[in-house]
Amino acid sequence: SVASRGRGDVYKRQTFNYWEPTHFLLFGKGHQTWEYDPVFALRSYFYLLLQGYPGYMCKILLGSFFAIPSRLYIFYVTRCLFALMSSLCEVYFYQGVTRQLGANVGRLTFRFLALSAGMFISSTAFLPSTTAMFLLMLSHGAWFNQSYDLAIFATALSTFVSWPFAALLGVPIALDVLVRQQKFLLFVKWCLFSAVVILTPQIITDTVMYGRLVSAPFNIVRYNVFTQHGPELYGTEPDTFYLQNGILNFNGAFLMALVVVPMHYFVDPTFWHPGRHRHDLPGGMTHMAMYLWLLVFVLQPHKEERFLFPIYPLLCLSAASTLDCIQKLYFFLFVRKNVRHYLKHTQWISVVILSVFTALSLSRVLAVWQNYRAPMEGWTQVARLPLM
């Protein structure tokens, strides 16, 4: 099998963890991360083919202009395409949020997405958790737009292709479709359709590449859940790890996101108008995926920053919902004038909070660029060396 070539080379976790096997597919050589060793077969080559196809097209196009296409250009073009994909998913997510939770929450969510250091870091990373983040925005955007078939398919795609644990993010969608909407046949039909359409080419691809029958999603769940060593082999962190990391990447917005459900249950009855939002999702269900994800991963001894990537858009949504509740609460307590809309007297609150959030986010982005850009600059210099 192709994965066995270079077996035992270098087993490491680094920025280019998933670029290295992609590089192997594009150029026929490169380091192999341990997850792609046939003994473990934890990662799917089907995912790499989907991720590497833009790089392959870039290689062909650059090859028509240069005798030897620059691999550095291919690397950066691929990351730019990830940024474009992230932007498109954010727009669709914003549209769904606006339809479900209102224009103000939609606008605030979009601003948190556009300005946060967390989205800056995660949106162009070569990681399955980044793909899970894209598909989270697609699935929840479809859910908010009541496109349940797309929501189910996007959740299944994220589960099978990017990260099996992303199935947890589909729990509120499943509960809504099965319990609230009572669309049992639609749910079963699209689950079966998604499984057949996604798993068939994935298993075929991985079986060919690994040289034996392989289901990478099953292997990674078995390794992390049903073995004695599990992920703790790579270190453990204290329970405060994600709190510290969340504050670094989202500053005060992370704390606002954590209290979104209590804020909703405290503020919403005050601003409830009969018949206004009869078909809206309950606040607890809207934000359930974020809480479930945090609960599960905080309890895991092994913690990494990338494990929170899939819920970064939900953190922005929850922070925006909390800010909207703060505006409503201020209006109810201190204004209470007979005006057309509560935003007429509370827009300054969002302006102040977003200004502070932007300043802190920008400082974090600059700190990451200043202190952690050495690998990028090193490979830029390597790319200029003559081929041996």
Side-chain angles (χ1 to χ4, degrees):
S1 68
V2 296
S4 63
R5 296 173 59 183
R7 181 173 172 179
D9 269 353
V10 179
Y11 297 112
K12 58 182 180 291
R13 292 177 179 273
Q14 58 177 19
T15 304
F16 304 101
N17 199 2
Y18 294 89
W19 172 247
E20 290 173 343
T22 304
H23 183 279
F24 175 80
L25 291 179
L26 291 176
F27 298 100
K29 59 181 179 180
H31 292 302
Q32 176 199 60
T33 57
W34 73 271
E35 295 96 336
Y36 286 91
D37 191 299
V39 173
F40 301 101
L42 300 185
R43 302 298 184 189
S44 174
Y45 273 89
F46 183 66
Y47 168 77
L48 286 184
L49 291 174
L50 295 177
Q51 177 181 261
Y53 183 75
Y56 175 76
M57 295 303 298
C58 183
K59 175 186 174 184
I60 297 299
L61 293 174
L62 288 176
S64 63
F65 293 100
F66 305 98
I68 303 176
S70 172
R71 299 172 191 185
L72 190 67
Y73 290 160
I74 296 173
F75 176 74
Y76 277 110
V77 167
T78 305
R79 295 193 72 174
C80 288
L81 289 175
F82 284 177
L84 175 61
M85 181 62 69
S86 178
S87 300
L88 294 175
C89 291
E90 287 173 34
V91 170
Y92 185 70
F93 182 66
Y94 154 76
Q95 291 173 342
V97 170
T98 300
R99 175 174 178 176
Q100 183 61 230
L101 298 174
N104 188 49
V105 176
R107 287 192 296 266
L108 294 174
T109 300
F110 195 78
R111 287 163 185 162
F112 279 122
L113 286 169
L115 300 172
S116 71
M119 293 299 296
F120 169 80
I121 294 168
S122 62
S123 60
T124 59
F126 281 89
L127 292 170
S129 49
T130 291
T131 306
M133 183 183 74
F134 296 164
L135 292 171
L136 177 280
M137 290 188 280
L138 186 61
S139 64
H140 270 61
W143 180 34
F144 294 153
N145 281 308
Q146 299 180 3
S147 299
Y148 302 118
D149 48 0
L150 178 58
I152 295 170
F153 184 81
T155 302
L157 188 63
S158 180
T159 300
F160 295 135
V161 176
S162 62
W163 206 12
F165 304 106
L168 187 64
L169 300 173
V171 169
I173 299 175
L175 290 176
D176 182 43
V177 174
L178 291 173
V179 180
R180 291 186 70 245
Q181 306 297 333
Q182 297 185 352
K183 298 180 182 292
F184 180 78
L185 291 179
L186 180 143
F187 182 81
V188 172
K189 179 181 73 174
W190 277 94
C191 284
L192 293 175
F193 173 80
S194 301
V196 172
V197 169
I198 299 168
L199 283 178
T200 300
Q202 182 183 46
I203 292 176
I204 291 174
T205 300
D206 290 337
T207 298
V208 171
M209 300 300 283
Y210 282 111
R212 61 184 175 87
L213 183 63
V214 166
S215 174
F218 172 77
N219 286 349
I220 193 171
V221 171
R222 181 182 61 181
Y223 179 85
N224 285 282
V225 179
F226 299 107
T227 59
Q228 292 182 350
H229 46 77
E232 291 85 355
L233 182 64
Y234 306 101
T236 61
E237 298 291 342
D239 293 339
T240 57
F241 177 84
Y242 287 129
L243 177 63
Q244 297 170 350
N245 192 260
I247 292 175
L248 272 176
N249 286 325
F250 291 92
N251 53 78
F254 184 77
L255 301 177
M256 292 168 60
L258 296 181
V259 299
V260 61
V261 168
M263 285 293 291
H264 266 294
Y265 281 110
F266 181 71
V267 173
D268 282 355
T270 305
F271 287 86
W272 176 258
H273 298 286
R276 183 181 177 186
H277 298 299
R278 293 191 304 273
H279 305 294
D280 283 357
L281 292 166
M285 184 171 285
T286 303
H287 305 286
M288 181 186 295
M290 180 195 70
Y291 283 111
L292 282 175
W293 193 266
L294 286 173
L295 176 64
V296 169
F297 280 87
V298 166
L299 294 177
Q300 302 306 309
H302 178 62
K303 300 177 177 65
E304 294 185 36
E305 178 182 19
R306 63 189 174 100
F307 291 169
L308 288 194
F309 282 9
I311 63 164
Y312 276 2
L314 297 182
L315 292 174
C316 294
L317 167 61
S318 298
S321 297
T322 297
L323 181 51
D324 181 69
C325 288
I326 292 173
Q327 290 178 275
K328 291 177 179 177
L329 188 61
Y330 177 86
F331 178 83
F332 177 76
L333 293 177
F334 300 107
V335 181
R336 289 186 127 184
K337 292 183 179 180
N338 187 21
V339 295
R340 190 170 65 178
H341 203 278
Y342 69 95
L343 293 178
K344 189 173 181 64
H345 287 272
T346 60
Q347 284 284 26
W348 65 271
I349 298 176
S350 63
V351 171
V352 170
I353 291 179
L354 283 171
S355 298
V356 175
F357 174 80
T358 302
L360 294 176
S361 295
L362 182 60
S363 68
R364 172 63 178 169
V365 169
L366 292 176
V368 169
W369 177 82
Q370 177 68 29
N371 299 313
Y372 297 96
R373 72 179 192 271
M376 296 296 188
E377 292 196 352
W379 283 111
T380 300
Q381 297 303 318
V382 169
R384 295 173 181 172
L385 296 177
L387 295 176
M388 301 300 293

